[in-house]
């Protein structure tokens, strides 16, 4: 299942790219892969001193899951190929394609606790994919810009905020999660929420 999710995430994010000649691709210098504090923008380091954020193997860190790591890599590739296109376009495409919905439907209604609870309990609804994967890819894309550029475009912030809020509710409502684990994950999400306001 995880392999299928990664394939779908990669396919979606690759779709963000515009066509470019092989000659131009060869001219693009290769960057450091993954989350790397040593190469991060100094403003990102100042805003987020917390170790969890920079962890590349913690499943519930923004870039520690396979989904978050891949979203960061693909965002960077998209940015190299589309330097003059607002990052909102890639974030929008990612949410729409992964979530199989229009960006206008990624609104505050998705934060309804009853809706999320019913999605979690619905055997025919894959909440890990349609909630966790979609949200983590949105968060990784948004915070990837902060790590690399020291800022998050204002137009992206409401989408990232919504993904953070839905993750908090989703974590609270997950029936089989240990309470200490939930508390720690929600604490981390609150850190991201604080940073989003300050970025």
């Amino acid at each position: 299942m995880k392999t299928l999710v990664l394939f779908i995430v990669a396919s979606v994010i690759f779709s963000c790219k515009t066509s470019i000649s092989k000659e131009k691709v060869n001219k693009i210098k290769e960057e450091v892969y993954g989350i790397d504090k040593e190469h991060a923008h100094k403003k990102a380091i100042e805003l987020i001193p917390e170790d969890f954020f920079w962890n590349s193997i913690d499943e519930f860190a923004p870039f520690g899951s396979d989904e978050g790591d891949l979203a960061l890599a693909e965002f960077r590739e998209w940015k190299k190929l589309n330097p003059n296109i607002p990052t909102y376009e890639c974030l929008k495409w990612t949410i729409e394609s992964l979530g199989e919905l229009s960006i206008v439907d990624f609104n505050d209604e998705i934060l309804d606790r009853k809706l999320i609870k019913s999605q979690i309990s619905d055997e025919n609804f894959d909440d890990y994919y349609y909630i966790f994967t979609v949200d983590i890819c949105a968060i990784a894309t948004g915070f990837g810009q902060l790590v690399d550029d020291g800022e998050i475009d204002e137009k992206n912030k409401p989408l990232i905020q919504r993904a953070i809020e839905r993750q908090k509710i989703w974590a609270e409502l997950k029936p089989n999660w240990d309470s200490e684990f939930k508390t720690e994950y929600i604490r981390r999400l609150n850190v991201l929420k604080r940073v989003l306001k300050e970025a």
Side-chain angles (χ1 to χ4, degrees):
M1 177 64 177
K2 199 167 189 178
T3 303
L4 176 60
V5 169
L6 289 176
F7 174 76
I8 293 169
V9 171
S11 299
V12 167
I13 298 176
F14 273 121
S15 299
C16 291
K17 299 175 187 167
T18 59
S19 62
I20 188 167
S21 71
K22 285 183 181 180
E23 184 178 296
K24 287 182 182 178
V25 170
N26 291 334
K27 289 181 182 178
I28 297 171
K29 85 173 191 182
E30 199 160 321
E31 294 183 14
V32 175
Y33 181 84
I35 189 66
D36 181 1
K37 195 172 185 178
E38 290 181 20
H39 295 89
H41 193 283
K42 68 177 188 175
K43 184 173 180 185
I45 296 169
E46 289 169 8
L47 287 174
I48 316 171
E50 290 85 355
D51 290 337
F52 82 86
F53 182 85
W54 306 97
N55 192 318
S56 64
I57 58 171
D58 184 333
E59 285 286 322
F60 290 99
F63 311 106
S65 67
D66 291 337
E67 295 86 353
D69 179 64
L70 183 58
L72 175 62
E74 294 306 325
F75 169 72
R76 287 173 169 167
E77 182 69 13
W78 180 89
K79 192 93 157 71
K80 284 193 289 186
L81 299 175
N82 301 281
N84 300 316
I85 298 176
T87 58
Y88 175 81
E89 293 304 319
C90 190
L91 182 58
K92 174 185 172 209
W93 179 261
T94 299
I95 291 169
E96 287 184 335
S97 300
L98 290 173
E100 298 177 14
L101 75 166
S102 168
I103 200 69
V104 298
D105 295 323
F106 194 77
N107 57 41
D108 286 344
E109 290 178 17
I110 68 166
L111 303 177
D112 182 271
R113 293 180 71 85
K114 288 181 183 176
L115 172 64
I116 295 170
K117 189 172 185 175
S118 70
Q119 290 171 330
I120 290 169
S121 62
D122 185 349
E123 292 178 6
N124 296 315
F125 184 85
D126 185 352
D127 62 292
Y128 182 87
Y129 178 81
Y130 287 105
I131 297 177
F132 178 78
T133 299
V134 172
D135 293 346
I136 286 299
C137 286
I139 291 166
T141 299
F143 280 91
Q145 184 186 17
L146 178 63
V147 168
D148 292 347
D149 302 338
E151 64 182 4
I152 298 175
D153 292 343
E154 285 300 319
K155 193 172 182 180
N156 297 349
K157 289 184 177 183
L159 299 175
I160 301 163
Q161 174 71 30
R162 212 164 278 132
I164 292 170
E165 291 301 328
R166 184 163 67 163
Q167 276 302 286
K168 287 170 59 178
I169 297 166
W170 182 69
E172 287 172 11
L173 296 175
K174 287 297 280 182
N176 299 324
W177 281 15
D178 177 77
S179 63
E180 286 183 29
F181 180 78
K182 286 183 185 190
T183 301
E184 175 59 18
Y185 184 48
I186 291 167
R187 183 193 70 78
R188 294 175 180 193
L189 291 165
N190 284 326
V191 169
L192 298 180
K193 184 178 175 180
R194 181 205 82 217
V195 173
L196 188 63
K197 288 179 183 176
E198 297 172 358

